[in-house]
Amino acid sequence: MKKFAVLGFGTVGSGVVELFYKNQKRILEKAGEAFELAYILDLRDFPNSPYADKFTKSMDAILSDPDIVVVAECMGGVEPAFTYLKQCLEKGISVATSNKELIAQKGAELLAIAKEHACNCFFEASVGGAIPIIRPLHRCLAANDISAIYGILNGTTNYILNKMLTDGMTFADALDKAQKHGYAEREPSADVDGHDACRKICILSSLVFGQHVYPESVYTKGIREISLEDAAAADSLDGAVKLIAFVKKLDDGRILPAVMPMYVPHENMISRVDGVFNCVEVCGDAIDRAYFCGRGAGKFPTASAVMGDIIEAVKHQKTVFSQSWVDAGTQDFIAGIDALNCGMLIRFENNHDAAALSEFAANYLAKNGHENEAVRATSNACLISASLTNAERTALLDAFANQNMPILHWLPAMEA
């Protein structure tokens, strides 16, 4: 009988094991044949676990079992996960992983090894938790020329920003509440500084555009500087502040991936995705826009995606060539953040006449090649819908300052 193993018995790994036994009959029906859990690798002891007979501390025991067809890696981190998965793939054993850090750093190498040995490296759970996004991108949407992807890819930051708006909390208080609910780690930098979302947009960018995008090449800014006043200003202008991870294909053929807080207008569905939920918007020439929304993390949501990959590996052991990318040996195909054209939400230091703010901005834009562009304002904030270059944004901010309208903060704006 075919067997599988789980590496790591933490939150996700234990979820995979529990989900398998909870829905075992249905899972085996979906796989089309019987298979069983043979090993759980963990250095810790779990003598009271109902799965105590499955535990091992030896990776060699897993690698030497000829009936193992897939290994689910739920350990996290790059090592020893990379070494273990490389060993599996080199023996023709498919792998399924929830490890976004590993795929963002080593995805091209693991996919190449899987191809060489006619097996698979699956990673649906690495982006968006329960949301199916990896498989739709390389299968269901394969006929599209995809021009951009935008998304809320971190539930912790989305929860914090939502609490700032709905409950009037400061960033610090909202973070504290997220930690108390278990949505944020005690050391929250991976979430609030954008690194988690960065790894995920690297994976989506690599998959869609075919060349490995490394996290070091992606402009990343988190939400520490976002204030309650920023959230209120966005709301007053019919939008919301969200931490957006995105990648866009530019006219010159390069791509621009980035992570940053952005103003998102309420006309865009992403603005209304709250709490710990994630949402991904895919823009393609045939579909226009498609949205994928759901729980982006958690024990069983992530385990659901891992278990889906395990079923896929049991059913189809040959390499899925559409799920691949290569390391180009350069990152020259990636543009810097200065190449971003976008609108702006500007928050001012003092209150002003809203009509005067709007009139000044509209007149300035018209004189500088942006006629008939929508401008909206309140007494302390202004929303510029025009798609401005980096130089144009800087010049506009300087123009406001020269009119005794000093700027407190500004955010890039997403399109509706």
Side-chain angles (χ1 to χ4, degrees):
M1 181 184 291
K2 292 180 177 179
K3 302 175 182 177
F4 76 101
V6 174
L7 310 185
F9 198 64
T11 300
V12 177
S14 63
V16 171
V17 174
E18 291 175 37
L19 185 62
F20 174 70
Y21 285 111
K22 176 177 178 290
N23 294 337
Q24 187 172 9
K25 182 180 178 182
R26 179 180 295 275
I27 287 169
L28 298 186
E29 288 174 352
K30 294 295 183 182
E33 61 181 298
F35 67 98
E36 65 181 9
L37 172 65
Y39 304 96
I40 303 170
L41 178 74
D42 203 294
L43 296 179
R44 298 167 295 173
D45 293 315
F46 297 87
N48 299 320
S49 170
Y51 323 109
D53 61 320
K54 305 292 184 182
F55 282 92
T56 180
K57 293 181 172 65
S58 171
M59 188 65 194
D60 289 338
I62 297 171
L63 293 169
S64 62
D65 189 330
D67 295 324
I68 294 290
V69 296
V70 56
V71 169
E73 184 272 310
C74 308
M75 303 168 65
V78 175
E79 286 293 354
F82 173 69
T83 296
Y84 289 165
L85 294 197
K86 182 180 178 182
Q87 290 173 333
C88 291
L89 294 171
E90 288 174 341
K91 291 184 69 70
I93 300 170
S94 292
V95 301
T97 179
S98 59
N99 192 334
K100 53 200 170 274
E101 183 180 5
L102 175 64
I103 298 300
Q105 290 287 356
K106 299 287 189 178
E109 188 171 350
L110 290 171
L111 288 165
I113 298 170
K115 181 178 179 180
E116 181 182 353
H117 294 277
C119 54
N120 280 292
C121 175
F122 289 133
F123 46 90
E124 184 68 64
S126 67
V127 180
I131 303 172
I133 185 62
I134 300 297
R135 200 163 283 114
L137 281 174
H138 71 88
R139 285 190 169 174
C140 309
L141 304 179
N144 281 259
D145 179 11
I146 294 175
S147 57
I149 297 174
Y150 299 90
I152 298 169
L153 297 180
N154 183 273
T156 299
T157 51
N158 203 44
Y159 175 87
I160 290 170
L161 291 170
N162 187 220
K163 285 297 176 184
M164 290 172 70
L165 177 61
T166 59
D167 294 0
M169 291 184 171
T170 64
F171 168 79
D173 288 341
L175 172 58
D176 181 64
K177 186 164 187 174
Q179 290 170 322
K180 287 178 179 177
H181 282 287
Y183 299 144
E185 300 291 341
R186 181 174 297 179
E187 207 304 288
S189 59
D191 293 321
V192 301
D193 292 329
H195 304 306
D196 176 77
C198 172
R199 291 162 185 156
K200 294 170 182 175
I201 200 62
C202 284
I203 294 169
L204 297 183
S205 302
S206 301
L207 181 64
V208 169
F209 297 107
Q211 298 185 92
H212 194 103
V213 175
Y214 287 95
E216 299 78 22
S217 300
V218 177
Y219 176 84
T220 302
K221 184 176 183 179
I223 64 169
R224 290 186 190 269
E225 295 179 10
I226 299 300
S227 66
L228 176 60
E229 290 75 19
D230 291 325
D235 185 61
S236 71
L237 288 165
D238 299 320
V241 179
K242 300 291 184 182
L243 182 68
I244 299 295
F246 68 86
V247 59
K248 300 175 65 174
K249 183 165 63 175
L250 304 182
D251 292 340
D252 62 9
R254 295 181 298 166
I255 63 171
L256 172 54
V259 177
M260 63 179 76
M262 300 185 78
Y263 166 89
V264 184
H266 284 323
E267 293 94 326
N268 190 303
M269 176 179 162
I270 290 178
S271 73
R272 301 188 296 277
V273 176
D274 294 327
V276 295
F277 278 72
N278 283 192
C279 183
V280 182
E281 175 189 280
V282 181
C283 305
D285 60 342
I287 60 169
D288 186 16
R289 300 181 189 183
Y291 292 87
F292 301 80
C293 185
R295 291 193 175 275
K299 182 173 185 173
F300 288 113
T302 307
S304 170
V306 174
M307 199 68 240
D309 279 347
I310 292 172
I311 295 170
E312 185 82 357
V314 170
K315 292 170 66 174
H316 306 293
Q317 294 183 52
K318 295 289 182 67
T319 305
V320 177
F321 293 118
S322 63
Q323 182 180 269
S324 65
W325 62 78
V326 298
D327 188 334
T330 178
Q331 299 283 276
D332 290 348
F333 62 95
I334 298 175
I337 195 61
D338 287 351
L340 176 65
N341 292 356
C342 65
M344 308 171 70
L345 173 69
I346 305 169
R347 189 165 64 83
F348 296 91
E349 184 175 337
N350 303 309
N351 287 338
H352 302 276
D353 179 73
L357 278 177
S358 180
E359 182 180 4
F360 174 78
N363 288 339
Y364 179 88
L365 291 170
K367 292 177 182 177
N368 289 274
H370 294 279
E371 294 182 309
N372 302 317
E373 293 285 359
V375 177
R376 297 172 56 202
T378 64
S379 62
N380 68 343
C382 185
L383 177 63
I384 310 293
S385 298
S387 184
L388 305 178
T389 66
N390 182 60
E392 289 173 327
R393 292 192 297 270
T394 300
L396 177 58
L397 293 174
D398 288 341
F400 274 119
N402 290 336
Q403 292 296 310
N404 293 318
M405 299 176 181
I407 309 297
L408 272 180
H409 198 199
W410 74 273
L411 292 170
M414 266 186 67
E415 297 176 2

